[in-house]
Amino acid sequence: IQPSLVQSMARTVLDIAVESGIAVLLVEQSLDLVRTLTQRCVFMENGRMVEEAPSGCLRPDSDVVLRHLSV
């Protein structure tokens, strides 16, 4: 999907969540988008939650990102 469309869709979902007070599960590979739209990030391996971190702490060189998202 075109990046601007992804941003627009994400903003719409966030607006709906805020207006209705519901939680939203976002599965996304763009670290910038995750940091912009979320409050916390949960890392999963083999269907199990293995770590959690505030989204504001997610930087490309942070330990949690390097452990779970690097190749």
Side-chain angles (χ1 to χ4, degrees):
I1 299 177
Q2 177 179 325
S4 63
L5 184 56
V6 171
Q7 290 283 347
S8 176
M9 290 170 36
R11 178 57 55 196
T12 300
V13 170
L14 180 63
D15 290 344
I16 292 169
V18 169
E19 289 173 11
S20 63
I22 62 172
V24 175
L25 173 65
L26 174 70
V27 178
E28 177 55 49
Q29 53 188 326
S30 166
L31 192 55
D32 289 334
L33 185 63
V34 169
R35 285 196 336 238
T36 300
L37 295 178
T38 64
Q39 297 174 351
R40 70 183 183 126
C41 185
V42 175
F43 296 88
M44 297 181 72
E45 289 179 11
N46 299 318
R48 295 183 53 206
M49 293 180 5
V50 294
E51 194 156 355
E52 179 179 340
S55 298
C57 296
L58 301 177
R59 303 280 183 255
D61 61 346
S62 66
D63 288 341
V64 68
V65 169
L66 293 173
R67 261 194 313 278
H68 298 290
L69 301 181
S70 62
V71 253

